[in-house]
Amino acid sequence: MRLIRVLLLPARLGLILLMLGSFTFLQAQETNVRGVVTDAETGLPLPGTTVQLVGTTIGTTTSPEGNYSIRVPSGYNILQFSYVGYKMQRVSIEGRTVIDLALRPDALQLDAVVVMGYGTLSKRQVTGSVGQISRDDMGDFVPRTVDQALQGRISGVQLTNASGLLGSPSTIRIRGAASISASTAPLVIVDGVPITNPVTAGSSSIGQGAGGQGINPLINLDPNDIESYEVLKDASSAAIYGARGSNGVILITTRRGRPDQQIVNVRTYTGSLTETNRYDMMNGEEFTKIWNEAAVNRFGPTGGGLLLPTTNIVNTDWTDVVRQDGKVTETSASVTGGTQQTRYYIGGTYRSEDGFVRRNELERYSGRLSLDHSLNDQVRVGMNISPSRTDNFRVYTENAVASAFTYAALYYPNVAPRKADGSLNLSFAPNPIGVFPGTPLSNVEGIDFKSSLTQVLSTGTLDWNILTNLSFNTSLSVDLFQLTESFKRASYTTDGTPDGNAFSSSDQYVNYNINSTLQFADQMDDHRYSIVAGISAVRSDNISFSAFARNFPTDLLKTVSSAATPVTTGGAGTSFSFLGYLSRITYSYMDRYLLTLSGRIDGSSRFGADHRYGFFPAASAGWIVSDEGWFSEFGVIDFLKLRASMGQTGNSEIGNFPSLALVGSGFNYNDVPGIALSQLANPGLRWEKTTQIDGAVEFGILGNAVRGSVGYYSKKTSDLLLNVPVSRVNGFATLTQNIGEMENSGLELELSVDIFHSSDLRWTMSGNISTVNNKVTKLVPGQTEIIFANNIVREGEPLGAWYLVRYNGPNSANGNATWLDTIGNVAASYNLLNRVIAGSPFPDYFGGFTSSFAIGPIDATIFFQFTKGNMIYRGDGSFTDSNLNSVFNQARRQNDYWSSTNTGAANPQPRLLLANGSQASTRYLEDGSYLRLKTLTVGYTLPSGFLANMRARVYLQGTNLWTSSKYLGMDPEVANVGNINQSAVFFQLPQAKTLVFGIDLTL
Amino acid sequence: MKRQKLFMMAVVVTTFIGCGDFLVEAPQQAIDVDEAMTKGSGVRAMVTGLYSGIHSPAIAGGNYNVIAEIMADNVLWTGSFVTYLDFHNRAMTPANANTTDWWTASYFAINRANIILDAVSTLVDPTDPNLTDAVKNVWRGDAYFGRGILLFKLAFVYSKPWNFTVGNTHLAVPIRTKPVRTPTELENLPRNTLAQVYAQVQADLDSAVNLLPATRPAAERGRATRHAARGYLMRLAMAKSDYAAAANYAQQIIAGGFSLPSSPALAFNGNKFSTESIFEIAWTTSDNPGPNAGQVAFYAPPANGGRGDIRISAAYVTAVGQIITAAQQAAVTAAGGTATDQRVITTAGNANRMLNGLTANTSATLKFALSDRSCNVINMRLPEVLLTRAEALAEQAVDLASVPAEVYTLLNQVRRRAILVSGGTSNQSMIDHSAASFTTKQELIDAILLERRIELAFEGDRFYTLHRKGLSIRLLAPSDNRITFPIPQPEVDANPNMVQNPGY
């Protein structure tokens, strides 16, 4: 009921604005104007050109023959013609009824539509910092998931993949990290609907972590359906999202039908998928040698009875045993078209991937139907429904012993995977000490782990052109998101021993979202302005169940109900809601002096009673210098625009009930239920605030063949939520408070150059590069730093700077590991007091560059992506490069260990089960810089008429084909989803290298 | 147009009904603290929450045992957790997660005890017919017991040993007796002296002895009795080398009706709450520390559901060989019999098997080897009390000759249950110790400590015994800086009144 009331709220607002707007209402006669629109260079018709009556919301698009017809009420005299890739033109009607027009191509695409929150603007009018990737920019590259489209293509946007496992999430950061305790992930909005992101604080994945990363919450979106991605980077563009805008906003717009033009598109590709890298571990003989020396070094000549036999040594490469050659196939089809009255888009995709780890598979089925129908000249209704299903057969992720590649690296190489009769060899003989129950192979074969996501995102819209210059728009969306997960671990696996266990869970999220806006636009002489005002309400409900049981009669049975002994059950629910009132006013004078004001009043159930609502304002201004009359003197510069903005946004990803004093349940004893105080009250708790200034120069020179932008931003976040440590003698570890400040600043550069641009030869190079300078500026009073294991949050230093003892290699005299103290003197023993700041997890700069080339029917695109200067802590090093302080297999480079005959060795003397240099230190801190060939595509477009009237293109496309990096782990492109230990990795799997062959057919 | 405007108006009218509660969401899994503590059911659940806190694997539910054993000389740590390896190498740092958790879990539970004591003092709940004074007194007893043992174990590891300074004015841990429920109740308490902490422990456990029942009904198994409270008073007295008091507490417990089953194995694994058990931490199939914490995870070999991280040490194997003296073995052999120490049975298939082998650095104990990880933690059992009284009586004697006969009776009671001599009961006395077995009182005490080492092996006792006796712990004195735990760095960082231990 509450929801319905909120739903109707906008109508109240609507009425007020209706009254305000009605003074411009003119009851008058109408005429009709028609004509044809063509390309000025080729003379061919331009179907799909938008024709707009300036000062009104009346508009239409041209037919496949380039024809249009538009009604013109008296009092309006200017028609605006725009088409993506062409210069916008305005024409005075002057009483004519037929107007034909030729449009000129425009490299700058100043009139392209940019999707902003709650409306659109032309690129010319944008005064904030908005990155855009359209379907055309992507060319023929279809990423595996929608988030991948953003990698390396927009300045200031850093996307890092968390793992090479199928369905893994990525970490997206826009202009650095703006929070310590709350999430640093941007708000993702699909067609106006915030997508399900049930996870709070710092993470952007869902589902069972199972030892590492969960599932990418964007996995259900089909990249084939996407029309454009817009990234709102600065406060002026993001402030309209108020308390959720601090980390930036990603707007994803899906495809809709275009009138009078039926286009059938079928795309299919298939190919191989392999790991980009793998660990080079010791074989059985090498392992036996280092083991026996380590045992003697530790326990004396008898090796403590732990010596390994030196004859008949088995050599097993466990990675070979658990990997496979993966494959990927995707087929999608779409139909778009319609009439001026009714437009449609129907699309469907099937995707199947087999990962490079055995039994890692993913299947996605998705469909989308969007329909727009005009009831009359004034009222248009639309709907968009997209059901999708992803079945992900998962394997354990990296930080779990059961994880295939992890255990394969660590397990004894001197053990055969199978016995002579072909059955699993579960014995660790001849080794004297077992590692864990189960082997890498038994874990692969004995674990069934499946996650299924079913999502139905439905939106209904109503557009009502109340007056020629006033329209009302409302949309209601329901996002149903169901995640079911189950695993069965057989009795012979690491975590299933001794009698098997199984888990099953179901999580359901239902998000309701209502947006209603009134849009008003008018023009007086050279003054043009538009106003958007609206209301937005979101409510999210979650309910979940889970069950875990063990003791299976046989490993053949797989589900919880077959188990004899229930272990735990769970059932929980939680909710949150947001209510926002928003407005944006844009004003321009002579189309060259631009001003935008925006603001939002946002309230949320998450905030304390004292601070339920907040106000988030922003302002920005632009000046198109090149439109000034005097500018033409500056010959080579064709276009120059200056813009600047400032404003404030918030971060509300702070958990659902952080302000209440709670007694929680689950503190049970001997199966009797108990409670305990779980959280101290803090009714003053509120969102984190980010104040950002932003400025940029946009330019086009040499006939706009060279174009780009240079920008600077500075983001100051205050009221950072910190779990302020308190003396634990009080019975609590922390008290959550709005304390703390942080800064992010940086330069962003984007550049595109058309080297050749003619109808049969085209070569464009483009690239972007960004810097990010992150600094924590204020912590709790009286406290200048917070130490988290290997990271530190210290005033004046980047968030989560590496804080480690410096490793100084082995002492050549005795093979002991040595260290450096804080002033750089050699220290013989390891002491945490000698920790120093040893590097930043943030890159100095990052970006990407593309070169696209076309000659005749042949096209080629190459895309590189890079990051420079970030340090990664390779946590797996303390296992694989530990000179055998444990029982685990060692990396082959560990063969170079200290002994009396090899005193110049790189690694200390191995001592079985004794740490000699394997403590956390800079030994495992490595440069994460890399340059990677992300995609390479070569395509050939078949001559027209070759396949009836179809356009057909065939191509070969590779991803992650080549990487340059000094990093010793499997892949430098890895990330931890945490804020503070963002680049602490543990056996994270490399990205997949794919090579596919594809065909696109367009009819 | 007119119709549309009318429709718009209608919509507006219907929306004037307020929507001010849209942004109010209530949590579904939690309740407000002040409301909970005015209900009998709330306090009752908080008492369970106190035991839940005590049974954390970071303290009594696991690490009271696991870490103590790794620190001492019966085991070798072979696992991958470096925080545990630090204890083996006696290289803990203030950042060590396990010492931090020991501190944190203890004070979290102490706060629950303080909340209970505060709530019970004013608790009136007419809606709860079961809320009698007797019930409330037991809850108070639970709270005093919990606070007493938690403070005792904190002081024992974070402080130098008793008598390290004259008057024991050296620093132990802060004593917190007031509840914290709101931010205004937060304080930065300094460390109290060891004398003050032990006095508080004494007072709390004295209260617990008075308030707690002698036995618990089946539904309350795993909670403290007055014997458990006396047992901790006995341990406290031994930590202070107050042998007279310790002997007295032990005597009271021995009179409490406990008895030894026929085999030591019958106190472990599936044999929960055996007749020799005095205080046990309950774990169940649905509530246990899981695969990466607690006794089963670390002690049990992979075949028994554990990680097998803890192996028996060479020193332990040597000690096992010393249990039956050469003279005793000769007597048994002469009688044509064999002596079997049931505590070290390694034969697969034997119901009383307690080790999977007796090879140093390789074999592991099977005391905690239920693959569903539901083994209870045997926190205190009768043999410890018997051996403690034996030791305390012997220590009070001026020399070997004046050691009372009861010492040998107590010692042999443990030995006869553990060591079976074939050929009937007449042969059983062949492995008895008597005054004739020793030439000095110290030899007798060493024999008692050796018995204790084998009997209570892998139960966390060895570290406590070496520590309180001032004996070398793998070459380090108990007062060595590397033996005393570092105060956790988060506490030092957050509490300006906190002083770190020397050496860290």
Side-chain angles (χ1 to χ4, degrees):
Chain A
M1 201 51 215
R2 269 196 287 167
L3 190 73
I4 292 169
R5 284 180 210 152
V6 170
L7 168 84
L8 296 173
L9 246 186
R12 261 196 281 179
L13 188 66
L15 189 79
I16 296 162
L17 283 179
L18 182 66
M19 290 170 179
L20 285 175
S22 57
F23 71 92
T24 56
F25 179 61
L26 298 165
Q27 195 75 30
Q29 283 219 305
E30 292 183 358
T31 56
N32 256 305
V33 176
R34 61 187 173 79
V36 61
V37 181
T38 53
D39 182 311
E41 289 186 357
T42 64
L44 295 172
L46 277 181
T49 305
T50 302
V51 184
Q52 186 89 24
L53 184 63
V54 172
T56 76
T57 51
I58 298 170
T60 186
T61 51
T62 57
S63 70
E65 293 76 38
N67 295 319
Y68 74 94
S69 169
I70 189 167
R71 69 188 174 93
V72 178
S74 66
Y76 295 93
N77 191 37
I78 299 171
L79 282 181
Q80 174 177 306
F81 297 81
S82 55
Y83 186 76
V84 173
Y86 290 79
K87 272 193 172 141
M88 183 198 60
Q89 283 196 37
R90 287 189 171 169
V91 177
S92 294
I93 301 171
E94 310 295 356
R96 286 179 288 176
T97 56
V98 177
I99 297 176
D100 297 334
L101 194 75
L103 291 181
R104 297 204 162 273
D106 175 20
L108 287 177
Q109 304 197 2
L110 280 179
D111 303 304
V113 167
V114 177
V115 178
M116 304 290 285
Y118 308 97
T120 60
L121 288 174
S122 72
K123 202 170 172 185
R124 167 189 296 270
Q125 279 178 299
V126 171
T127 48
S129 183
V130 181
Q132 186 184 39
I133 303 173
S134 69
R135 220 174 137 64
D136 296 333
D137 297 330
M138 297 290 297
D140 293 294
F141 174 64
V142 178
R144 301 166 85 187
T145 52
V146 292
D147 45 333
Q148 300 301 317
L150 299 170
Q151 191 173 31
R153 295 183 191 265
I154 296 178
S155 65
V157 179
Q158 190 188 10
L159 180 137
T160 319
N161 288 299
S163 164
L165 284 182
L166 301 180
S168 293
S170 56
T171 299
I172 306 174
R173 283 183 170 177
I174 297 174
R175 296 186 163 177
S179 186
I180 295 175
S181 313
S183 174
T184 55
L187 178 65
V188 179
I189 302 222
V190 178
D191 292 334
V193 186
I195 64 120
T196 301
N197 189 1
V199 184
T200 54
S203 173
S204 57
S205 68
I206 52 171
Q208 280 275 315
Q213 320 294 352
I215 307 167
N216 186 345
L218 297 172
I219 196 166
N220 270 15
L221 286 172
D222 180 5
N224 291 293
D225 285 342
I226 308 304
E227 185 66 41
S228 70
Y229 303 84
E230 266 89 3
V231 180
L232 310 183
K233 296 191 279 189
D234 72 327
S236 103
S237 53
I240 204 143
Y241 288 102
R244 306 178 83 178
S246 266
N247 295 320
V249 183
I250 296 172
L251 303 176
I252 298 176
T253 308
T254 59
R255 295 172 69 187
R256 300 189 86 89
R258 287 184 178 177
D260 300 333
Q261 193 182 8
Q262 178 181 293
I263 299 171
V264 180
N265 189 242
V266 179
R267 311 172 74 141
T268 183
Y269 64 81
T270 184
S272 68
L273 187 157
T274 55
E275 68 273 27
T276 48
N277 194 7
R278 56 190 283 182
Y279 269 133
D280 184 20
M281 304 301 291
M282 289 186 182
N283 64 23
E285 282 151 16
E286 291 165 318
F287 180 74
T288 300
K289 178 168 177 287
I290 192 174
W291 175 282
N292 285 347
E293 290 205 27
V296 168
N297 293 338
R298 167 78 199 273
F299 296 105
T302 62
L306 300 174
L307 294 179
L308 287 173
T310 53
T311 52
N312 298 324
I313 298 171
V314 173
N315 287 309
T316 301
D317 184 334
W318 285 96
T319 304
D320 273 346
V321 175
V322 299
R323 74 169 297 285
Q324 65 181 8
D325 287 326
K327 57 181 189 289
V328 56
T329 302
E330 181 174 296
T331 301
S332 73
S334 64
V335 186
T336 161
T339 63
Q340 290 293 345
Q341 194 177 25
T342 305
R343 294 181 283 153
Y344 59 88
Y345 170 85
I346 303 168
T349 296
Y350 168 75
R351 179 178 183 83
S352 162
E353 285 180 273
D354 290 350
F356 56 79
V357 180
R358 280 185 60 195
R359 308 195 69 196
N360 186 203
E361 296 163 24
L362 184 142
E363 278 189 303
R364 184 180 69 217
Y365 317 81
S366 61
R368 175 176 297 272
L369 168 64
S370 84
L371 207 54
D372 295 285
H373 178 71
S374 300
L375 300 179
N376 54 40
D377 281 352
Q378 286 177 297
V379 180
R380 196 173 69 190
V381 293
M383 61 98 66
N384 195 339
I385 179 162
S386 54
S388 56
R389 162 91 173 181
T390 302
D391 288 322
N392 194 353
F393 294 88
R394 301 175 65 191
V395 293
Y396 272 45
T397 48
E398 295 77 358
N399 188 11
V401 172
S403 169
F405 266 47
T406 303
Y407 203 22
L410 296 177
Y411 198 71
Y412 291 128
N414 55 339
V415 175
R418 292 186 190 277
K419 297 183 202 160
D421 63 4
S423 61
L424 288 170
N425 175 21
L426 297 172
S427 162
F428 52 80
N431 300 285
I433 298 178
V435 183
F436 301 107
T439 70
L441 182 60
S442 76
N443 284 339
V444 165
E445 298 198 341
I447 298 176
D448 298 277
F449 184 9
K450 182 183 175 187
S451 299
S452 295
L453 293 92
T454 309
Q455 188 170 19
V456 182
L457 178 59
S458 314
T459 306
T461 56
L462 171 75
D463 292 293
W464 178 16
N465 292 330
I466 304 166
L467 304 168
T468 50
N469 50 10
L470 177 70
S471 66
F472 173 73
N473 168 283
T474 188
S475 71
L476 168 63
S477 308
V478 180
D479 181 11
L480 274 168
F481 188 93
Q482 178 86 29
L483 168 67
T484 58
E485 292 193 281
S486 62
F487 64 67
K488 161 70 200 298
R489 304 187 290 211
S491 62
Y492 49 84
T493 63
T494 302
D495 295 325
T497 184
D499 49 20
N501 54 49
F503 173 86
S504 188
S505 72
S506 173
D507 279 80
Q508 181 183 278
Y509 299 87
V510 185
N511 298 319
Y512 308 92
N513 184 66
I514 296 147
N515 293 321
S516 290
T517 55
L518 270 168
Q519 319 229 0
F520 175 76
D522 204 359
Q523 170 169 33
M524 277 179 261
D525 301 325
D526 286 328
H527 304 274
R528 292 206 291 149
Y529 61 97
S530 65
I531 303 171
V532 180
I535 182 166
S536 172
V538 172
R539 187 183 153 84
S540 176
D541 287 315
N542 160 242
I543 187 163
S544 63
F545 303 97
S546 66
F548 182 58
R550 49 165 281 273
N551 197 359
F552 278 78
T554 159
D555 283 323
L556 299 173
L557 292 168
K558 307 279 189 194
T559 58
V560 168
S561 53
S562 302
T565 313
V567 180
T568 54
T569 54
T574 188
S575 313
F576 65 84
S577 49
F578 279 90
L579 182 60
Y581 303 90
L582 54 100
S583 183
R584 178 172 56 230
I585 299 167
T586 59
Y587 165 79
S588 67
Y589 176 62
M590 297 176 72
D591 275 348
R592 77 179 79 125
Y593 306 104
L594 314 164
L595 183 69
T596 305
L597 300 174
S598 62
R600 177 171 176 135
I601 296 168
D602 224 352
S604 174
S605 61
R606 289 173 171 167
F607 309 145
D610 302 351
H611 295 281
R612 190 132 280 164
Y613 284 92
F615 177 54
F616 303 93
S620 58
W623 177 25
I624 302 179
V625 186
S626 52
D627 281 2
E628 297 287 355
W630 45 264
F631 190 82
S632 52
E633 296 167 23
F634 299 89
V636 294
I637 303 179
D638 305 290
F639 174 74
L640 185 66
K641 175 177 171 183
L642 307 179
R643 58 174 168 80
S645 75
M646 70 178 298
Q648 201 168 64
T649 49
N651 185 349
S652 58
E653 294 303 309
I654 56 178
N656 284 349
F657 307 104
S659 65
L660 305 175
L662 299 177
V663 165
S665 56
F667 297 88
N668 306 340
Y669 182 62
N670 206 10
D671 296 341
V672 177
I675 59 173
L677 198 54
S678 55
Q679 181 176 299
L680 285 168
N682 187 354
L685 217 61
R686 60 188 183 275
W687 54 92
E688 300 181 350
K689 254 187 270 178
T690 296
T691 307
Q692 186 173 183
I693 58 168
D694 177 277
V697 180
E698 297 174 10
F699 57 86
I701 52 181
L702 297 172
N704 288 332
V706 178
R707 54 201 177 271
S709 66
V710 183
Y712 171 79
Y713 68 90
S714 169
K715 240 172 137 170
K716 289 190 176 143
T717 306
S718 57
D719 287 345
L720 279 180
L721 278 183
L722 281 182
N723 288 325
V724 179
V726 299
S727 166
R728 297 183 182 203
V729 176
N730 294 299
F732 294 88
T734 59
L735 176 65
T736 308
Q737 287 179 280
N738 284 107
I739 264 179
E741 293 175 7
M742 184 157 60
E743 282 179 21
N744 288 280
S745 61
L747 285 171
E748 294 174 349
L749 173 67
E750 297 187 356
L751 192 68
S752 280
V753 182
D754 291 335
I755 297 167
F756 294 105
H757 193 86
S758 68
S759 55
D760 52 359
L761 177 62
R762 189 168 48 78
W763 184 14
T764 302
M765 294 196 70
S766 60
N768 68 81
I769 184 166
S770 316
T771 67
V772 57
N773 182 8
N774 174 286
K775 197 163 64 173
V776 176
T777 49
K778 187 180 150 204
L779 292 171
V780 184
Q783 183 189 9
T784 54
E785 60 189 36
I786 311 173
I787 298 167
F788 297 82
N790 302 329
N791 302 87
I792 192 167
V793 178
R794 178 186 281 175
E795 288 181 9
E797 297 290 342
L799 176 64
W802 294 111
Y803 193 58
L804 293 162
V805 176
R806 284 175 290 177
Y807 174 69
N808 190 44
N811 180 337
S812 62
N814 55 19
N816 288 348
T818 63
W819 317 89
L820 295 182
D821 66 13
T822 52
I823 54 169
N825 293 329
V826 175
S829 63
Y830 180 82
N831 190 331
L832 284 179
L833 292 175
N834 288 333
R835 281 182 290 183
V836 296
I837 289 186
S840 168
F842 289 89
D844 297 330
Y845 55 86
F846 60 91
F849 56 92
T850 307
S851 171
S852 31
F853 182 81
I855 180 162
I858 298 166
D859 63 87
T861 304
I862 187 163
F863 169 50
F864 287 90
Q865 186 247 333
F866 60 89
T867 173
K868 170 74 182 166
N870 60 311
M871 301 298 284
I872 298 178
Y873 186 75
R874 189 169 61 88
D876 35 288
S878 59
F879 290 76
T880 60
D881 295 75
S882 68
N883 37 282
L884 213 68
N885 83 321
S886 52
V887 300
F888 302 119
N889 196 12
Q890 298 291 300
R892 183 155 275 149
R893 55 185 165 263
Q894 289 293 304
N895 281 327
D896 184 18
Y897 54 80
W898 188 94
S899 68
S900 54
T901 56
N902 184 19
T903 55
N907 296 294
Q909 186 186 46
R911 292 165 196 170
L912 192 59
L913 303 173
L914 264 191
N916 185 21
S918 57
Q919 297 93 330
S921 75
T922 57
R923 186 179 182 186
Y924 307 118
L925 188 68
E926 296 173 14
D927 186 349
S929 307
Y930 70 89
L931 170 65
R932 172 164 271 179
L933 173 52
K934 281 307 277 190
T935 61
L936 171 65
T937 311
V938 180
Y940 174 72
T941 303
L942 274 58
S944 59
F946 185 82
L947 279 172
N949 53 350
M950 267 187 275
R951 175 187 180 268
R953 176 174 173 271
V954 294
Y955 62 91
L956 271 173
Q957 185 173 77
T959 59
N960 297 322
L961 295 176
W962 172 84
T963 308
S964 165
S965 174
K966 286 186 225 154
Y967 180 63
L968 292 177
M970 284 185 272
D971 196 327
E973 189 195 335
V974 283
N976 192 310
V977 288
N979 290 357
I980 290 168
N981 57 348
Q982 53 173 318
S983 44
V985 304
F986 186 79
F987 282 104
Q988 279 170 358
L989 285 179
Q991 293 301 297
K993 177 194 294 186
T994 61
L995 190 62
V996 302
F997 171 75
I999 303 173
D1000 286 359
L1001 296 174
T1002 308
L1003 181 61
Chain B
M1 209 62 197
K2 203 168 186 181
R3 254 184 318 169
Q4 284 172 348
K5 275 189 177 170
L6 277 173
F7 171 71
M8 200 74 169
M9 287 299 291
V11 165
V12 170
V13 170
T14 53
T15 55
F16 271 104
I17 308 157
C19 67
D21 59 345
F22 180 72
L23 291 181
V24 180
E25 304 280 356
Q28 298 168 32
Q29 275 83 244
I31 44 174
D32 185 69
V33 60
D34 291 333
E35 188 187 341
M37 288 300 101
T38 55
K39 297 277 186 292
S41 60
V43 180
R44 180 179 289 113
M46 186 65 85
V47 172
T48 305
L50 166 63
Y51 278 103
S52 182
I54 292 170
H55 98 325
S56 162
I59 46 176
N63 283 352
Y64 278 179
N65 169 347
V66 170
I67 288 178
E69 288 295 336
I70 298 171
M71 288 287 287
D73 53 6
N74 279 340
V75 305
L76 174 75
W77 173 264
T78 67
S80 60
F81 285 116
V82 292
T83 55
Y84 287 94
L85 183 64
D86 284 350
F87 293 101
H88 178 73
N89 293 332
R90 275 84 63 91
M92 300 86 78
T93 67
N96 183 289
N98 302 123
T99 59
T100 303
D101 290 349
W102 185 306
W103 179 278
T104 308
S106 299
Y107 281 110
F108 279 28
I110 286 171
N111 193 38
R112 290 172 207 165
N114 291 336
I115 290 172
I116 292 162
L117 290 171
D118 183 73
V120 170
S121 63
T122 57
L123 181 64
V124 181
D125 180 2
T127 66
D128 190 340
N130 299 323
L131 189 64
T132 61
D133 282 350
V135 165
K136 286 197 267 188
N137 280 338
V138 174
W139 292 348
R140 289 171 60 217
D142 287 325
Y144 282 121
F145 174 81
R147 191 170 74 191
I149 68 165
L150 291 162
L151 270 178
F152 174 60
K153 292 298 252 185
L154 280 168
F156 196 80
V157 294
Y158 289 101
S159 163
K160 298 291 177 205
W162 185 255
N163 285 340
F164 182 69
T165 56
V166 176
N168 291 292
T169 55
H170 55 286
L171 295 179
V173 295
I175 301 169
R176 174 94 208 184
T177 55
K178 285 185 291 179
V180 178
R181 287 154 303 198
T182 65
T184 54
E185 290 169 322
L186 296 169
E187 286 184 85
N188 288 320
L189 292 179
R191 296 171 70 176
N192 292 88
T193 66
L194 187 61
Q196 289 168 327
V197 175
Y198 278 0
Q200 181 70 43
V201 173
Q202 180 80 39
D204 282 346
L205 291 173
D206 281 343
S207 300
V209 168
N210 289 331
L211 292 164
L212 288 172
T215 57
R216 288 280 193 167
E220 295 181 4
R221 283 279 174 81
R223 301 189 185 209
T225 63
R226 71 173 61 123
H227 298 301
R230 285 191 183 118
Y232 267 92
L233 285 166
M234 173 191 84
R235 288 179 176 175
L236 173 67
M238 290 300 273
K240 292 159 52 174
S241 302
D242 182 352
Y243 295 115
N248 188 34
Y249 289 125
Q251 178 63 27
Q252 289 175 314
I253 299 165
I254 292 166
F258 300 96
S259 65
L260 297 178
S262 60
S263 162
L266 296 177
F268 296 94
N269 291 313
N271 306 297
K272 298 186 169 202
F273 306 109
S274 72
T275 56
E276 69 176 87
S277 171
I278 295 164
F279 184 53
E280 261 179 63
I281 301 291
W283 288 119
T284 69
T285 53
S286 58
D287 176 28
N288 60 64
N292 292 315
Q295 301 173 138
V296 178
F298 295 139
Y299 285 113
N304 299 73
R307 300 166 59 99
D309 288 341
I310 297 178
R311 313 300 170 88
I312 62 173
S313 68
Y316 168 78
V317 175
T318 305
V320 165
Q322 296 165 344
I323 279 286
I324 299 167
T325 64
Q328 289 166 345
Q329 187 60 54
V332 170
T333 309
T338 53
T340 307
D341 190 338
Q342 300 193 86
R343 294 170 297 201
V344 291
I345 290 177
T346 61
T347 319
N350 186 321
N352 293 326
R353 186 188 194 206
M354 295 192 80
L355 289 160
N356 71 350
L358 205 51
T359 309
N361 305 339
T362 306
S363 305
T365 180
L366 298 174
K367 277 185 173 177
F368 322 100
L370 285 187
S371 56
D372 62 9
R373 307 184 181 102
S374 68
C375 303
N376 284 353
V377 177
I378 314 299
N379 187 282
M380 189 182 299
R381 58 191 181 97
L382 186 57
E384 177 191 345
V385 181
L386 299 172
L387 293 172
T388 300
R389 180 161 166 84
E391 178 189 337
L393 291 175
E395 285 283 6
Q396 290 178 79
V398 290
D399 56 22
L400 184 65
S402 55
V403 169
E406 188 192 352
V407 170
Y408 303 105
T409 309
L410 290 165
L411 176 58
N412 292 333
Q413 189 182 346
V414 174
R415 285 174 68 81
R416 286 189 177 194
R417 190 274 293 260
I419 305 167
L420 291 185
V421 183
S422 63
T425 44
S426 57
N427 284 355
Q428 198 63 43
S429 61
M430 290 176 181
I431 48 93
D432 280 356
H433 285 313
S434 66
S437 311
F438 310 105
T439 56
T440 63
K441 187 181 99 173
Q442 190 56 48
E443 281 184 14
L444 165 60
I445 288 169
D446 289 346
I448 296 170
L449 297 183
L450 175 66
E451 202 63 45
R452 198 174 171 116
R453 177 175 192 174
I454 303 304
E455 177 67 31
L456 302 177
F458 321 117
E459 294 173 56
D461 181 76
R462 180 72 178 159
F463 176 68
Y464 159 79
T465 297
L466 294 174
H467 195 282
R468 66 182 169 80
K469 296 302 267 190
L471 295 171
S472 160
I473 305 170
R474 282 194 286 129
L475 305 178
L476 298 181
S479 58
D480 191 287
N481 288 343
R482 288 166 285 179
I483 295 294
T484 313
F485 285 11
I487 302 292
Q489 196 62 39
E491 182 65 39
V492 175
D493 287 342
N495 182 350
N497 298 321
M498 187 55 51
V499 178
Q500 181 56 278
N501 275 326
Y504 295 104

